[in-house]
Amino acid sequence: MSIKAIILVGGETTGTRFRPLSMDVPKALFPIAGKPIVSHIIDSLLELVDSGLEEVYLLGYFKDTKPFDKYIEEMKGHYPELRLKYLSEPYSMGTGGGLFHFREEIFDNVNYNKVIVIHGDIVCSYPFKSMYEFFEKSQANMVVLGIDPILLLNNYQNHTQVQNRSSFKIYENNKVLSNYGTIIANKSNNRVVHYVEKPSSSISELRLESSYYTLVNGGVYIFDKTLLEFLVKAQQQREKEINYWSPQFFDADDNFSANNSSKLSLELDVLKTLPEANSTFLTFKSNSFWYQLKTPVSALLTNNFFLEKELQKKCSTALAPSSMNIIPPVKIGRNTILHSKGYKIGPNVSIGDHVSIGNGVRLKNCIIADNTIIGDHSYISGAIISTNVIVGKWCRIEGTFDSPTITRDITKIGTDGYFKLINNISVLCQNNIVKDQVVVYNSIVLPHKELKQDIKNELIM
């Protein structure tokens, strides 16, 4: 029996909240703790090689496929146990449409009867092995990772994410369910009895029944081949709807029908129907860390999490050893030059390849990407520095993401459920130049800019 894994990496029409970082590279390939988030996922998937995992697909919609083609080529040597391939959708097809479109490749052989599907922006401990063992033992048709929303509300993950245990807060109390798919499952057998996408009810309303779990959809699924049957049914239903409505509202030559008939939502068109179907649909309940990479701020938090995770490993060689100049966890890339006089780096710092760090530099809570130069005596904290950036001497690049800077103005709460983090991170996009003695405070600078004077709480376009 063999397994295939599909990582949903989004597309050009998604991930807009991750801008401006996604202007440089697709979100799934953005370097966090020394490597793209998809590499963190694949590293954890290696636990399933002994169980039969042989192929991993990256599935998404990007007109320019070169970044993924380059990534696949570079990773061949890193993952000799796996066959990696990027599947490019002809247009944005939704979380289920791509699975249907490439069904012949994904379900090409009778030996491949298990499929793991992972949303590529999910950050967690990736319990693939224990989840798969649960799937096999229970003889389920489908299993979804379920996260206790109370853990999100209690903000438990930030105890290891944010240095100095700040009061940084992410989710609005009691309304976290309205931002995610919600699973209602029987506690006695983990069977899903109801699935609803972004319900209007609060947690307190849904947790009154003690016989059932109320969980957040964790974005990790294991399916057997019955998934194909449900995708076919969903596609047929979508075509019926399009054929019924489009003649009344669209011209005969309008391409609306052609594109939208194949646009399927895995959550709305498949998962929502499973509790009523004649199949075993279960949830795997997890109380471990779970997070979603959505914004530049979340990239810093994700960086901290992966660094902490690596730090907790015994005999890890991936991080720089602690010293007078290094406060762990710190990740330093290849061919990086650290000048010898008085620098101090850490905690929670990731430095890419071919970076030059000057004398007397102070770095903490930041991501420094490849081919960057940091001049003597500069200070960088709460910031993301993208590729090919030059920071001069005695500069200060600072964000305050690890402080309680979240607005309490109710109008500033976004539809994605995150408090809008106002002016609390600094981002320098690729090919920026910061002249000597310039201060960048809680500001975003788009690519190819030269800063000659201080900026504070600004967006430089």
Side-chain angles (χ1 to χ4, degrees), residues 44 47-48 51 116 125-138 143 145 220 222 283-288:
S44 295
E47 295 181 342
L48 292 177
S51 300
I116 301 175
S125 298
Y126 304 122
F128 298 133
K129 188 173 181 62
S130 55
M131 190 173 171
Y132 182 75
E133 290 172 349
F134 171 80
F135 176 87
E136 290 286 271
K137 184 178 179 180
S138 61
V143 170
L145 178 65
V220 180
I222 301 179
T283 185
F284 177 82
K285 185 175 181 291
S286 175
N287 292 327
S288 62

Side-chain angles (χ1 to χ4, degrees), residues 187-206:
K187 287 184 178 180
S188 64
N189 57 13
N190 293 291
R191 191 178 186 103
V192 178
V193 298
H194 186 58
Y195 181 88
V196 58
E197 191 68 16
K198 299 181 179 180
S200 58
S201 302
S202 66
I203 291 176
S204 57
E205 292 172 319
L206 289 173

Side-chain angles (χ1 to χ4, degrees), residues 24-89:
D24 298 345
V25 65
K27 181 170 68 170
L29 298 181
F30 185 81
I32 296 177
K35 53 190 172 186
I37 189 172
V38 292
S39 290
H40 290 285
I41 295 173
I42 296 172
D43 286 346
S44 295
L45 282 170
L46 290 176
E47 295 181 342
L48 292 177
V49 169
D50 292 340
S51 300
L53 178 66
E54 296 180 356
E55 293 188 79
V56 176
Y57 296 130
L58 308 183
L59 175 59
Y61 166 62
F62 290 88
K63 292 179 181 178
D64 182 8
T65 65
K66 291 179 182 177
F68 287 99
D69 295 337
K70 180 181 178 182
Y71 172 79
I72 295 294
E73 187 63 31
E74 291 176 349
M75 290 300 106
K76 284 181 179 178
H78 287 269
Y79 303 114
E81 312 94 330
L82 300 172
R83 293 190 293 272
L84 303 181
K85 186 174 183 179
Y86 175 62
L87 301 179
S88 181
E89 298 173 0

Side-chain angles (χ1 to χ4, degrees), residues 24 429-433 445-450:
D24 298 345
C429 291
Q430 63 180 348
N431 299 314
N432 281 323
I433 298 175
V445 183
L446 270 59
H448 311 291
K449 300 294 183 296
E450 182 174 325

Side-chain angles (χ1 to χ4, degrees), residues 392-403:
K393 299 178 180 179
W394 296 100
C395 294
R396 189 176 184 95
I397 316 296
E398 185 175 8
T400 54
F401 90 106
D402 56 349
S403 299

